């Protein structure tokens, strides 16, 4: 049932941090540990994993059958129905497994209101367990890195096709739908996130997601998309131009391109994450656009599209072989336009490997 490599790492991290148990509610965290994650709704459920390797699952009765199949018939399952609520089963499980007054870590998908309700009936010390779960999967092995490469290659291929599809008169939603269609045709498991299609004035909003505007001549369009392949994610951004490019747009694009290249060159084993951010950020700052670079330079990627390590100021974490993350400098000027170039890189013993191979030259459609 469990991914043995990761459950061993989880146990080690819990012992190191003197954590008695870990709550993992439906999420990518649960899927990569257990190989399955049910649909998440307002009903509380989750895996409780103890540092002595015992475990149990609290589940709504409507999910009991699928959880029983996933977790195994010998596992302790505490099922509850909507009429009785989950707190009685939580209290019983805590008593059965001697979790009263213990330190329990919770993952990022666990709802705060659930934890508050549980604290109302049992005496426990809840702590943030997100760092524990990030730590156990921050280093990718060769197989996982190969899946990241494959996911990135699919994104590259989709980009090559989607630029041929874009034209004035179609809607942002049409581009989004076509991207999803292309990933399915090429063998992706699914989208790693909802694509960002930010055209014209919408391009200055880094995470715009309305898909409502119609493409016009002289638009700047940010395309940000990715897929999953065997559980691993891709994520890339390119900026394209419709019918032409102005002198100012060309200047800004070249600055971002240089910042992207500088960050990728700086990313290597033994370097602090914050220093990579600084190298790229300085390119944009020295060009006079520092106030318009609004975000961290990058985020880790793997089983989730956003995980550790963050490539940002203040993160002193030293990069190690097997870490994978984005390099995505951008400039976003409200009322005018925005641009972003994003690749995924993986730290190797020889520096870094840029997984995305799609062209970063100016493309006018």
């Amino acid at each position: 049932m469990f991914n043995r490599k990761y459950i061993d790492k989880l146990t080690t991290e819990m012992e190191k941090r003197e954590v008695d148990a870990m709550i993992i509610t439906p999420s990518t965290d649960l899927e990569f540990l257990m190989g399955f994650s049910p649909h998440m709704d307002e009903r509380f459920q989750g895996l409780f994993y103890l540092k002595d390797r015992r475990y149990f699952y609290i589940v709504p009765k409507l999910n009991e059958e699928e959880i029983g199949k996933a977790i195994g018939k010998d596992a302790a399952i505490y099922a509850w129905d909507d009429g009785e609520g989950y707190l009685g089963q939580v209290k019983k499980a805590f008593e059965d497994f001697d979790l009263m007054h213990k330190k329990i870590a919770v993952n990022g998908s666990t709802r705060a209101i659930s934890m508050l309700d549980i604290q109302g009936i049992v005496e426990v010390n809840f702590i943030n367990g997100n760092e524990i779960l990030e730590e156990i999967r921050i280093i990718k092995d060769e197989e996982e890195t190969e899946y990241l490469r494959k996911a990135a290659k699919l994104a590259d291929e989709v980009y090559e096709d989607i630029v041929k599809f874009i034209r004035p008169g179609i809607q942002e939603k049409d581009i989004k739908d076509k991207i999803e269609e292309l990933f399915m045709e090429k063998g992706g498991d699914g989208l790693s996130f909802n694509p960002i299609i930010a055209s014209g004035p919408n391009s200055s909003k880094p995470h715009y997601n309305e898909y409502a505007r119609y493409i016009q001549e002289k638009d700047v369009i940010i395309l940000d998309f990715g897929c999953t392949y065997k559980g691993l994610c891709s994520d890339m951004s390119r900026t394209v131009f419709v019918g032409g490019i102005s002198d100012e747009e060309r200047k800004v694009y070249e600055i971002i391109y240089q910042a992207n290249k500088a960050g990728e060159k700086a990313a290597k084993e033994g370097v602090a994450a914050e220093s990579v951010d600084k190298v790229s950020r300085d390119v944009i700052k020295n060009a006079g656009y520092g106030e318009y670079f609004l975000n961290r330079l990058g985020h880790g990627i793997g089983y989730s599209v956003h995980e550790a390590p963050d490539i940002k100021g203040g993160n002193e974490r030293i990069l190690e072989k097997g870490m994978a993350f984005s390099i995505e400098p951008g400039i976003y000027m409200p009322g005018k336009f925005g641009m972003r170039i994003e690749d995924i890189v993986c730290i190797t013993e020889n520096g870094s490997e840029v997984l995305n191979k799609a062209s970063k030259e100016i493309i006018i459609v």
Side-chain angles (χ1 to χ4, degrees):
M1 181 202 78
F2 290 124
N3 182 317
R4 179 53 55 189
K5 177 181 71 172
Y6 283 121
I7 210 70
D8 287 345
K9 286 185 176 181
L10 176 59
T11 305
T12 298
E13 284 295 319
M14 290 171 64
E15 291 173 344
K16 183 192 305 183
R17 299 165 190 255
E18 298 182 338
V19 171
D20 297 295
M22 181 95 201
I23 302 175
I24 307 166
T25 54
S27 58
T28 55
D29 296 328
L30 188 61
E31 187 166 0
F32 92 88
L33 278 175
M34 202 170 78
F36 175 76
S37 182
H39 172 71
M40 183 178 183
D41 61 18
E42 73 279 4
R43 297 175 180 87
F44 177 77
Q45 65 171 299
L47 173 71
F48 289 66
Y49 182 79
L50 283 63
K51 67 179 180 182
D52 62 9
R53 295 181 180 267
R54 292 182 300 157
Y55 56 90
F56 62 90
Y57 200 103
I58 294 177
V59 63
K61 287 185 177 178
L62 60 91
N63 295 114
E64 185 177 6
E65 181 180 358
E66 59 184 348
I67 289 300
K69 182 179 180 181
I71 202 170
K73 63 180 180 179
D74 296 328
I77 296 177
Y78 295 81
W80 58 275
D81 62 38
D82 289 345
E84 67 180 345
Y86 66 93
L87 292 176
Q89 291 298 319
V90 169
K91 185 174 182 180
K92 184 176 189 308
F94 274 46
E95 291 171 345
D96 290 347
F97 283 81
D98 190 27
L99 288 179
M100 299 293 188
H101 310 289
K102 298 296 176 64
K103 183 191 292 186
I104 300 178
V106 298
N107 79 319
S109 63
T110 305
R111 299 201 311 167
I113 57 174
S114 298
M115 296 301 94
L116 291 171
D117 287 343
I118 291 172
Q119 281 186 315
I121 63 163
V122 295
E123 293 186 18
V124 294
N125 176 22
F126 287 127
I127 66 167
N128 186 340
N130 193 56
E131 184 178 322
I132 296 172
L133 291 165
E134 287 190 329
E135 189 64 32
I136 69 175
R137 64 188 193 189
I138 195 171
I139 305 296
K140 277 65 182 179
D141 62 24
E142 284 302 317
E143 181 179 60
E144 291 166 331
T145 301
E146 184 56 35
Y147 292 159
L148 286 172
R149 287 191 190 100
K150 179 62 176 177
K153 184 174 185 293
L154 291 174
D156 290 343
E157 292 175 0
V158 167
Y159 176 66
E160 291 178 6
D161 289 349
I162 202 64
V163 294
K164 301 171 187 175
F165 175 79
I166 297 171
R167 61 190 182 276
I170 64 174
Q171 197 173 20
E172 292 166 333
K173 184 179 185 300
D174 297 326
I175 302 172
K176 170 186 176 290
D177 292 344
K178 186 64 175 178
I179 287 172
E180 185 169 4
E181 175 187 320
L182 287 167
F183 272 127
M184 296 306 102
E185 288 178 0
K186 295 177 184 298
D189 299 331
L191 298 178
S192 51
F193 60 98
N194 282 327
I196 295 171
I197 315 297
S199 68
N202 294 332
S203 61
S204 67
K205 308 165 189 173
H207 283 175
Y208 165 82
N209 66 351
E210 293 181 24
Y211 311 113
R213 188 175 177 276
Y214 287 85
I215 306 304
Q216 301 177 21
E217 289 284 355
K218 305 302 182 183
D219 271 352
V220 176
I221 307 177
I222 292 177
L223 306 168
D224 188 343
F225 52 83
C227 72
T228 59
Y229 181 80
K230 295 189 183 297
L232 279 295
C233 297
S234 61
D235 181 8
M236 68 172 284
S237 299
R238 293 292 186 267
T239 302
V240 300
F241 304 86
V242 181
I245 181 171
S246 70
D247 290 343
E248 182 184 23
E249 289 166 354
R250 188 181 296 275
K251 175 186 176 183
V252 169
Y253 188 88
E254 181 61 26
I255 293 166
I256 296 169
Y257 185 23
Q258 294 304 320
N260 172 267
K261 290 196 298 183
E264 291 174 356
K265 184 178 180 180
K268 60 185 66 176
E269 192 172 17
V271 171
E274 63 181 358
S275 69
V276 179
D277 179 280
K278 185 177 187 303
V279 166
S280 273
R281 195 169 300 277
D282 282 351
V283 171
I284 295 175
K285 181 179 178 181
N286 293 339
Y289 289 87
E291 66 181 293
Y292 301 116
F293 186 6
L294 308 176
N295 53 294
R296 62 194 173 192
L297 177 64
H299 57 81
I301 192 168
Y303 289 93
S304 297
V305 73
H306 286 183
E307 54 185 54
D310 281 339
I311 310 302
K312 65 179 183 179
N315 185 3
E316 299 177 352
R317 180 67 187 258
I318 300 301
L319 301 180
E320 301 174 52
K321 179 184 175 183
M323 291 182 177
F325 48 85
S326 66
I327 299 289
E328 50 179 301
I331 291 174
Y332 310 96
M333 296 185 286
K336 297 186 72 174
F337 58 80
M339 300 181 192
R340 175 166 68 252
I341 301 174
E342 175 185 16
D343 298 313
I344 298 301
V345 302
C346 189
I347 298 298
T348 68
E349 57 190 16
N350 299 315
S352 62
E353 176 187 355
V354 181
L355 302 189
N356 292 102
K357 311 300 183 184
S359 173
K360 291 182 275 192
E361 298 301 318
I362 290 173
I363 291 183
I364 300 173
V365 298

